Amino acid sequence: MKYIYYLIMLLFIICTLPACSYFETGEIQNVGFITDAEIDNNPWTEQGYQAMQEIGDKYDVDVFYEENIETMHQVQQAVDEFVNDGVNLIYGHSNIYGEYFMTLAESYPDVHFVYVNGGESRENVTSINFNAHAMGFFAGMIAGHMTSSNDIGIIAAYVWQPEIEGFFEGVKYVNKEADIKFDYINDWNNVDLALEKYNKMEQQGVDIFYPIGDSFSESIIKKAENDGLFAIGYMMDQKEVAPDAVLTSTIQHIGELYKSVADDFNKQDLEGKIYTYDFKDGYISLGELHSSIPGYVKIQVEEDIEEYIETGLLPNEY
């Protein structure tokens, strides 16, 4: 009888600990956020972090975060700490976390993992993806119209980014004479190398740049403005960064999407699958168009975006 009594007491103590009650409702208890960069001075990461704060305020929960998390070991440590703090919804602010979350998910069945732009999912792992091809296409249309030298440059973080092909197609759709120079740095965060690529392209006569990397786009846009050239903003509306240079921006509204994901999770509507979002969903848009862009170009781009929202077809697919 003593054995049974102590066993009952032990179970009672365990179930009064935070970890037991944290996961019993299926609703948000606390939120975790991990990023492979620093939050300060990185607009993409700042936007995600700000969304976490708003989620915390809305649901009256705590938000825990870790910066510069890149390896499996670091992710494992961060997740362990989050779970000990009662976190049951974890956001990984990079596509690198897909593989790590897939490995960890079985060990944490009461935690839902969310990450961006990946191709893997399971019951408690959700991938949220942006259709970046389309936004690249419409930005390419503007660049193709606005180049004077017919030399346009793309500086990407990685060769696989879908914006690249879309941008190529958009430029060629309106300007078959344009020469598109392309290079990539194989890193999200190497600003110095990105600027080296910029200087090389600038010497080759490029007059419009599309920097496809959140950590280095601002530096390149500012450099373009100093050199009297144009650029396309990336991830956020970067007009204020360099008003004279930014023709438009390809915007991914990650903060709004994170908040929507939290709402779905709290209602138990968030599925472990791959979600893809586009212009029609309101999570992708172009930023304000530069005043120097001719009216007929603005009308054409705006009408083509509306047609794309209605039909799902880009202009070169009609």
Side-chain angles (χ1 to χ4, degrees):
M1 291 296 293
K2 278 188 175 182
Y3 175 81
I4 296 174
Y5 172 79
Y6 287 128
L7 180 61
I8 292 172
M9 289 299 296
L10 178 62
L11 290 173
F12 173 79
I13 292 170
I14 291 174
C15 286
T16 58
L17 292 174
C20 186
S21 60
Y22 278 136
F23 306 117
E24 64 187 10
T25 66
E27 300 175 349
I28 296 176
Q29 305 303 322
N30 288 321
V31 178
F33 179 71
I34 60 175
T35 173
D36 59 348
E38 294 184 0
I39 292 173
D40 292 338
N41 302 316
N42 186 311
W44 166 254
T45 308
E46 288 177 357
Q47 190 179 14
Y49 178 73
Q50 179 58 39
M52 297 300 110
Q53 302 310 303
E54 294 179 27
I55 292 168
D57 290 342
K58 179 175 181 178
Y59 290 103
D60 193 24
V61 298
D62 291 325
V63 174
F64 301 89
Y65 68 93
E66 293 287 346
E67 303 169 282
N68 299 315
I69 302 298
E70 298 181 346
T71 68
M72 178 63 187
H73 178 67
Q74 290 173 327
V75 173
Q76 173 81 66
Q77 285 187 316
V79 170
D80 283 343
E81 291 175 7
F82 289 164
V83 171
N84 286 336
D85 289 322
V87 168
N88 66 342
L89 178 61
I90 297 177
Y91 290 85
H93 195 59
S94 172
N95 68 327
I96 69 170
Y97 298 122
E99 177 183 353
Y100 303 148
F101 286 172
M102 291 292 290
T103 301
L104 294 172
E106 188 173 358
S107 299
Y108 300 94
D110 296 317
V111 176
H112 202 107
F113 298 86
V114 179
Y115 73 105
V116 293
N117 294 330
E120 294 182 288
S121 66
R122 58 182 299 162
E123 184 177 1
N124 59 329
V125 179
T126 296
S127 173
I128 53 176
N129 293 259
F130 294 96
N131 184 359
H133 181 102
M135 73 179 192
F137 183 94
F138 294 116
M141 286 180 61
I142 292 171
H145 277 298
M146 294 300 293
T147 180
S148 298
S149 66
N150 271 342
D151 289 303
I152 298 170
I154 302 173
I155 301 171
Y158 292 94
V159 69
W160 49 258
Q161 291 176 262
E163 301 95 321
I164 298 167
E165 183 179 1
F167 192 81
F168 266 90
E169 292 178 2
V171 170
K172 290 298 184 180
Y173 176 68
V174 300
N175 185 351
K176 290 182 171 53
E177 302 303 315
D179 180 27
I180 305 168
K181 294 175 171 58
F182 168 71
D183 210 339
Y184 63 99
I185 63 175
N186 212 35
D187 192 306
W188 286 114
N189 301 309
N190 194 331
V191 177
D192 291 338
L193 183 55
L195 287 170
E196 287 181 23
K197 305 292 187 184
Y198 168 92
N199 290 330
K200 180 180 178 181
M201 289 184 182
E202 191 270 335
Q203 292 169 8
Q204 295 172 335
V206 168
D207 63 351
I208 299 179
F209 291 85
Y210 185 28
I212 314 178
D214 55 286
S215 66
F216 57 78
S217 63
E218 182 171 325
S219 297
I220 288 178
I221 287 168
K222 287 180 176 178
K223 189 73 167 60
E225 184 176 56
N226 290 337
D227 293 336
L229 304 173
F230 286 122
I232 306 292
Y234 184 63
M235 291 293 196
M236 303 179 68
D237 192 340
Q238 295 189 300
K239 179 183 178 182
E240 293 184 3
V241 171
D244 293 335
V246 176
L247 292 172
T248 188
S249 300
T250 52
I251 304 172
Q252 297 180 351
H253 300 275
I254 187 65
E256 295 304 312
L257 182 52
Y258 278 170
K259 289 186 284 186
S260 176
V261 166
D263 293 341
D264 286 344
F265 175 77
N266 200 61
K267 295 182 293 186
Q268 286 128 62
D269 289 338
L270 182 65
E271 298 181 48
K273 69 177 188 179
I274 300 169
Y275 291 86
T276 301
Y277 301 93
D278 209 333
F279 280 85
K280 63 182 175 60
D281 304 298
Y283 297 118
I284 291 179
S285 67
L286 290 189
E288 182 179 348
L289 303 186
H290 196 280
S291 59
S292 66
I293 299 174
Y296 75 92
V297 175
K298 293 181 180 179
I299 292 172
Q300 179 186 358
V301 172
E302 289 168 357
E303 289 181 348
D304 286 341
I305 290 175
E306 287 301 315
E307 184 72 17
Y308 175 69
I309 290 172
E310 291 179 8
T311 67
L313 297 175
L314 293 168
N316 62 340
E317 297 172 334
Y318 297 163

